[in-house]
Amino acid sequence: MSSFPPTFADDVIDQPAQAQFEAFLDEHRRELNSCLDGLTEEQARRSLVPSRTTLLGLVKHATFVEKVWFDEAVTCRSRAEIGIPATPDESFILDDDDTIAGVQQAHREACESSRRAGCRGRRHPGPGLTRRGPLPLRWVYLHMLRELAQHGGHADILREQLLAG
């Protein structure tokens, strides 16, 4: 079973920027993954907003985002090769067999793969290629921080609504 590294942002104050990015990312990854802890399958799938956004869908989408920005952008494999949806909106769609445990595990595995891709990107710092063109690894880290912070906020609000109701 993959898990999140025990590093926290306070542990990397004097470390190089790369270690800082990774620690902050892992904090956000861990928080988003844990938004499903203690919920029933029904609660995790419950829709509280007009979009496809659910807590289970957010973690499934975060898995997609990891694969887009660290697999597609850093390793330059296509979405078809990776086996992910063509669009972000599709990544929120829940299949009947999606469960809390399965989605959390897929997310942890995607995060572990992202960490490995980041290490490869440091050793071979050529920019990754995306639909936007070449992207430096630093930009990928910053974009992922933005994505995870935004979706972590969504998850906090949805979880609060679920548990209050």
Side-chain angles (χ1 to χ4, degrees):
M1 173 192 246
S2 297
S3 63
F4 295 98
T7 306
F8 295 94
D10 287 347
D11 298 334
V12 295
I13 290 172
D14 297 325
Q15 297 294 313
Q18 186 79 27
Q20 293 174 353
F21 282 135
E22 291 170 359
F24 276 80
L25 279 171
D26 279 331
E27 281 188 3
H28 285 292
R29 289 166 171 153
R30 186 175 24 257
E31 288 301 315
L32 188 56
N33 191 284
S34 70
C35 78
L36 298 170
D37 291 350
L39 298 180
T40 66
E41 297 291 336
E42 187 276 326
Q43 286 174 314
R45 289 174 167 274
R46 190 177 304 157
S47 178
L48 300 170
V49 295
S51 69
R52 291 181 171 152
T53 306
T54 63
L55 283 174
L56 193 62
L58 274 172
V59 178
K60 187 173 181 178
H61 172 71
T63 302
F64 165 83
V65 169
E66 292 283 345
K67 291 178 179 187
V68 165
W69 294 108
F70 282 101
D71 201 343
E72 182 182 29
V74 175
T75 69
C76 303
R77 296 189 323 146
S78 71
R79 290 183 187 192
E81 283 180 271
I82 299 165
I84 58 174
T87 67
D89 193 48
E90 293 173 86
S91 70
F92 284 91
I93 297 172
L94 297 174
D95 299 323
D96 290 341
D97 59 344
D98 284 330
T99 64
I100 292 171
V103 169
Q104 282 182 312
Q105 182 61 29
H107 180 245
R108 285 189 296 270
E109 289 170 2
C111 293
E112 178 60 32
S113 180
S114 293
R115 283 188 287 280
R116 286 192 306 271
C119 288
R120 284 192 303 274
R122 279 197 319 265
R123 286 192 304 273
H124 308 287
L129 296 174
T130 67
R131 297 172 195 176
R132 294 180 170 140
L135 294 174
L137 184 59
R138 181 183 183 108
W139 189 95
V140 171
Y141 279 119
L142 290 169
H143 180 76
M144 281 299 298
L145 283 169
R146 178 174 58 187
E147 282 270 347
L148 292 172
Q150 177 183 11
H151 294 314
H154 295 151
D156 286 345
I157 292 168
L158 290 175
R159 185 173 170 92
E160 183 178 329
Q161 288 178 319
L162 280 170
L163 296 177

